[in-house]
Amino acid sequence: MQVTLERAALLKALGHVHRVVERRTTIPILSNILFSAEGSSVLLKATDLDLEVTDRLPADVTQAGGTTLPAHILYEIVRKLPDGAQVSLDVTGEATQLLLRSGRSRFHLQALPESDFPDLAAGDFTHRFSLSATDLKKLIEKTQFAISNEETRYYLNGIYLHTAESDGKTTLRAVATDGHRLARIEIPAPQGAPGMPGVIVPRKAVAEVQKLIEGLDADVTIEISPTKARFSFGDVVLITKLIDGTFPDYGRVIPAGNDKLLTVDREPFAAAVDRVSTISSERGRAVKLAMGEGKLTLSVTNPDSGSAVEELEVDYDAAPLEIGFNARYLLDITNQLDGDTALFKLADPGSPTLVLDHEGATALYVLMPMRV
């Protein structure tokens, strides 16, 4: 294999694929990126056996062929080369050695044979549809924070993507929950999505998709099968295995009869929660909300460090109510809202609370209370 590439194009492609590579792995080939040169382009591929990212970039191919190179070392070398540099990769004679040249720099890198590199065979995808990068970004950003980190409940370690009926229309829904809070957002189902199997996209794949759509203004093609999903961003393609588990019936925890309505100015409310929670213990993080007519009192009591109280003028005219929440969860949710106000629908101190921008909003959040 003998190719010459633009440093900027190579760095961008390496940026797309090298993040998938785990820094510690017991399988040496998984530390490497596959290079495959033919025609007038080079294909780069990286995998951790659950997730695979490929990118194709133009190249001056003198001799077609393939090899694999250590991902993180190669990324650092290319990153440190000067802007505008040309990079030539040359495998001659020994297949385990590659010569990288750029200007006056020479690097001899250890390579592993292309034939050893695993292929995350995609199989057949049953459903295919396109989403704008903006819509996909919204589905991820509004739910990602609620993904569980608890490995024992592995079926909560991702975003549940499925179609549902809402007001007589088919919607595409993204849902995530960790058992303490739940996030759900829906958009009109794109053509090709209705009837798709409900799938759980793992946390790592979600994070990679989010990085790949940053700054993208084109459509993303999504293909779904019961075991895998493929996201295509032009020349960049991400294939991920899906979580093999059953997402819980989240509809049962979304309260329908909460009749106590609290409307707050979102930013002053979030700032007040942040201030009073300074006193709270790292473990508990509990903040108490006491509601009366037109007034909300936030308070935190910590036997080790003291107490804090702050009052806000709010829109509330139901019976007085006191309820506790984890301050961090409360801030996570209010930070997801887009409007100037936040609407809380409450029932009693022991029941889940519904939080949304306004009545009929496409995104809703459920927060479990705490004892305070």
Side-chain angles (χ1 to χ4, degrees):
M1 183 186 85
Q2 197 171 359
V3 298
T4 304
L5 305 123
E6 292 280 348
R7 179 251 181 197
L10 177 57
L11 184 63
K12 185 177 179 184
L14 287 171
H16 291 152
V17 301
H18 93 286
R19 290 189 302 258
V20 176
V21 179
E22 298 287 352
R23 287 195 175 270
R24 291 190 179 88
T25 176
T26 54
I27 307 170
I29 195 73
L30 295 183
S31 297
N32 284 17
I33 290 174
L34 172 71
F35 278 72
S36 183
E38 60 180 1
S40 58
S41 67
V42 172
L43 179 77
L44 276 62
K45 183 190 289 187
T47 184
D48 65 0
L49 297 182
D50 290 321
L51 184 62
E52 175 186 286
V53 176
T54 60
D55 195 359
R56 187 175 290 280
L57 68 155
D60 182 1
V61 180
T62 308
Q63 186 180 343
T67 189
T68 76
L69 297 168
H72 297 295
I73 290 174
L74 182 63
Y75 178 76
E76 285 302 312
I77 289 171
V78 176
R79 186 177 69 82
K80 292 171 183 177
L81 292 174
D83 288 344
Q86 295 283 311
V87 181
S88 90
L89 305 176
D90 197 350
V91 181
T92 51
E94 282 286 322
T96 56
Q97 283 280 329
L98 175 132
L99 173 62
L100 184 155
R101 286 174 295 180
S102 182
R104 295 183 179 182
S105 301
R106 301 282 184 278
F107 296 89
H108 288 274
L109 300 176
Q110 291 294 325
L112 290 171
E114 177 187 20
S115 55
D116 291 356
F117 200 83
D119 184 31
L120 194 64
D124 293 329
F125 292 98
T126 55
H127 290 73
R128 184 175 194 269
F129 55 90
S130 291
L131 275 184
S132 71
T134 306
D135 279 346
L136 181 56
K137 191 175 182 180
K138 190 193 301 179
L139 289 177
I140 291 174
E141 287 187 346
K142 298 295 184 189
T143 54
Q144 186 185 35
F145 74 95
I147 295 175
S148 173
N149 293 311
E150 202 178 317
E151 298 302 333
T152 52
R153 301 168 80 188
Y154 64 93
Y155 49 86
L156 298 182
N157 294 163
I159 291 177
Y160 181 45
L161 202 61
H162 64 297
T163 53
E165 293 299 316
S166 180
D167 297 328
K169 295 176 183 173
T170 306
T171 61
L172 181 64
R173 268 187 196 168
V175 183
T177 182
D178 60 6
H180 304 289
R181 61 241 171 112
L182 177 145
R184 190 198 87 186
I185 182 169
E186 59 188 19
I187 61 171
Q191 190 174 355
M196 67 175 259
V199 297
I200 308 170
V201 184
R203 185 197 308 116
K204 183 175 177 180
V206 167
E208 287 306 316
V209 169
Q210 187 177 33
K211 287 169 187 160
L212 290 171
I213 55 177
E214 200 62 50
L216 191 73
D217 55 8
D219 283 359
V220 179
T221 302
I222 301 173
E223 294 160 280
I224 300 286
S225 79
T227 57
K228 291 193 178 79
R230 178 160 61 197
F231 297 81
S232 301
F233 315 79
D235 288 330
V236 184
V237 178
L238 179 148
I239 299 173
T240 178
K241 288 181 180 176
L242 299 167
I243 292 175
D244 182 14
T246 304
F247 201 78
D249 180 7
Y250 65 87
R252 292 168 56 188
V253 301
I254 297 177
N258 288 13
D259 56 354
K260 296 181 175 67
L261 305 184
L262 166 70
T263 303
V264 299
D265 290 328
R266 187 177 64 84
E267 288 187 3
F269 172 76
V273 170
D274 195 25
R275 275 192 293 272
V276 297
S277 67
T278 310
I279 291 291
S280 66
S281 67
E282 274 303 314
R283 193 161 164 271
R285 301 284 290 168
V287 57
K288 180 164 78 173
L289 276 61
M291 284 145 268
E293 191 168 341
K295 188 175 77 170
L296 169 67
T297 305
L298 300 120
S299 61
V300 170
T301 303
N302 181 354
D304 297 326
S305 54
S307 62
V309 179
E310 185 158 344
E311 283 188 2
L312 293 172
E313 288 184 7
V314 296
D315 186 355
Y316 182 81
D317 58 7
L321 174 68
E322 290 188 353
I323 190 167
F325 294 113
N326 179 302
R328 186 168 62 81
Y329 294 167
L330 203 52
L331 288 171
D332 282 346
I333 287 175
T334 50
N335 287 339
Q336 296 304 319
L337 302 178
D338 295 322
D340 294 332
T341 60
L343 173 62
F344 288 75
K345 293 184 163 187
L346 307 115
D348 58 64
S351 299
T353 292
L354 199 58
V355 188
L356 47 161
D357 266 313
H358 52 78
E359 283 289 4
T362 56
L364 64 80
Y365 304 92
V366 180
L367 188 54
M368 298 301 292
M370 288 178 76
R371 279 201 192 129
V372 285

